[in-house]
Amino acid sequence: MKEAGIVRYGAGHFDGVVAGLWPYDRALAERLFRWRYLDNPYVDAPTGIVALQGGRVVGFRGYFAHAYSPGDGAAFVVLHPCDTVVDPSHRNQGLSVAMGQLASTFDPGRYRLFMSLTSSAQSRPGYLKLGFLPLANRVTWMRRGFNPRVWAVDAWSRRPAKPGRRPAPARVRHGQFGDVLVSDAPRPAEMAAIVAAEPRDGAAVRLVQDEAFFTWRYRNPVQRYAFYFRMEAGRALAYAVFDISGDGRSGSLLDYGEARPGLLDEALRHACTSGDFVALSALSFGLDARARRLLRSLGFRPVHTLKSLLRRGSVESLAPPVLVRPIPARFDESAFRVGALDLRRIEDWRLKPICSDAA
């Protein structure tokens, strides 16, 4: 009898998952899967669920892992629901929710929370049905965001690229510009040292960004990045990382750090004024107080998205939410507590856009 039903991903499902379900050619789909689920340093085995019909994979739901630390306690792993792909002939049959329900059997001793950073209007009802709660809204900030021409460039450039189409050449100029080094590659040891040296603005849960994180995280085969380093005596003491849109014209701030206050300013200012991008944006949930002040000084402001532009309400109230839920199907108040920290409060987190599976 051929296998059917909802099961955890196993090595025997690899070919079925990467063949035909994703909008990439086979070679790129394999590279993405290996990087995201096999090379991920925060999982013991691929965190995925498959739907089977007659032994054939007809659906896959993957969970992208990052480690987070409360500072004075043991680090824990958060799983971000990401790749949800279902064969067209099996859509609208509840497979996504069914796969999400089985994911609640992942080991809660190793994996503490689910956190969705990319939910859409279409997927959100399924997350709410699974017990997810809103943590914060994903408000887009844009530089000179009041200019509709710039806003339109960014909105257009971030449309999904057609499968198989090569990204357009980037405008980013690499090299040394005064104290700022612009590169297409990370400097893992220096970036980890910068994060370790940063002053802490109170107790909070923070993304673990050690050398292993930086070595692995920026190898995403379907993304391009621009790294802006503030250099001093040949060593990076601050950094800002932007993704590069498919048309090469827009960038979004993903990650940043500074070993001493004030060092980040020059790196960000160069990204904004060099002409490397036509439009720049950032997501509000990934901005701490210092980043908000700095971006405002550089002309960033909250803006509507294409979907919220014609709806009634403020930019903040209409933005899609970040959603969280403990791993087990049944949980109580204690599942959201880490010492004095409450994992339902965005104030008790220091997230960055690089936390997202889409980054």
Side-chain angles (χ1 to χ4, degrees):
M1 185 177 187
K2 290 187 176 180
E3 193 176 12
I6 310 295
V7 300
R8 289 197 192 185
Y9 171 87
H13 302 132
F14 179 80
D15 285 340
V17 171
V18 300
L21 289 183
W22 279 344
Y24 307 111
D25 62 48
R26 175 61 184 260
L28 183 54
E30 286 190 9
R31 287 174 57 206
L32 177 62
F33 187 92
R34 292 184 185 282
W35 169 77
R36 186 169 279 171
Y37 301 108
L38 300 180
D39 298 338
N40 191 309
Y42 306 113
V43 299
D44 295 326
T47 44
I49 305 294
V50 295
L52 301 168
Q53 179 65 47
R56 184 172 72 92
V57 175
V58 296
F60 172 74
R61 186 162 194 174
Y63 293 83
F64 193 45
H66 285 117
Y68 293 80
S69 173
D72 57 354
F76 57 86
V77 176
V78 171
L79 297 178
H80 302 284
C82 51
D83 302 303
T84 301
V85 285
V86 176
D87 184 275
S89 64
H90 290 78
R91 290 174 185 168
N92 302 314
Q93 298 178 24
L95 287 186
S96 177
V97 171
M99 290 188 286
Q101 289 171 333
L102 185 61
S104 292
T105 64
F106 287 138
D107 179 11
R110 177 167 181 80
Y111 309 120
R112 174 119 193 196
L113 286 177
F114 294 117
M115 178 185 290
S116 172
L117 295 165
T118 53
S119 68
S120 65
Q122 291 73 33
S123 66
R124 203 165 305 128
Y127 284 117
L128 298 177
K129 186 175 182 180
L130 290 169
F132 281 75
L133 303 174
L135 176 66
N137 285 353
R138 305 191 323 254
V139 180
T140 298
W141 285 35
M142 279 197 65
R143 186 168 187 263
R144 311 300 183 209
F146 52 83
N147 185 330
R149 293 181 181 178
V150 175
W151 182 89
V153 165
D154 186 73
W156 178 263
S157 68
R158 297 196 175 280
R159 297 177 68 200
K162 291 184 178 180
R165 176 173 293 180
R166 288 182 176 273
R171 299 162 53 97
V172 177
R173 295 174 300 158
H174 300 140
Q176 186 90 29
F177 303 89
D179 292 330
V180 176
L181 174 66
V182 184
S183 174
D184 63 354
R187 299 167 73 102
E190 292 168 70
M191 294 169 81
I194 290 167
V195 172
E198 284 186 303
R200 299 301 191 209
D201 58 343
V205 176
R206 292 176 168 84
L207 180 66
V208 173
Q209 293 186 283
D210 54 15
E211 187 171 351
F213 169 88
F214 287 110
T215 299
W216 162 75
R217 186 62 180 83
Y218 288 106
R219 288 179 177 170
N220 187 336
V222 298
Q223 295 284 358
R224 295 182 295 171
Y225 306 105
F227 298 85
Y228 294 81
F229 298 103
R230 170 61 163 82
M231 305 297 292
E232 193 172 288
R235 187 171 182 80
L237 293 182
Y239 72 89
V241 186
F242 291 83
D243 72 356
I244 302 174
S245 63
D247 70 356
R249 305 181 74 186
S250 296
S252 184
L253 179 64
L254 299 179
D255 195 1
Y256 55 89
E258 58 183 356
R260 298 194 309 269
L263 292 176
L264 182 61
D265 302 37
E266 193 170 350
L268 279 177
R269 188 168 290 107
H270 180 85
C272 291
T273 61
S274 62
D276 287 351
F277 299 99
V278 176
L280 285 173
S281 61
L283 288 169
S284 61
F285 72 81
L287 304 177
D288 60 20
R290 64 183 173 131
R292 286 172 182 264
R293 288 193 298 269
L294 180 52
L295 291 183
R296 280 194 176 278
S297 74
L298 291 170
F300 284 78
R301 297 292 185 272
V303 297
H304 281 283
T305 65
L306 281 171
K307 291 184 178 180
S308 70
L309 184 63
L310 300 179
R311 295 169 57 197
R312 289 189 175 184
S314 67
V315 170
E316 289 76 10
S317 67
L318 294 176
V322 173
L323 301 167
V324 295
R325 202 206 80 183
I327 295 293
R330 289 189 172 88
F331 52 85
D332 57 22
E333 180 84 7
S334 64
F336 288 105
R337 309 294 304 195
V338 177
L341 300 175
D342 187 337
L343 301 179
R344 294 164 296 187
R345 285 170 35 88
I346 189 61
E347 295 82 5
D348 287 352
W349 291 86
R350 296 295 181 271
L351 297 173
K352 293 180 176 180
I354 193 59
C355 301
S356 173
D357 61 281

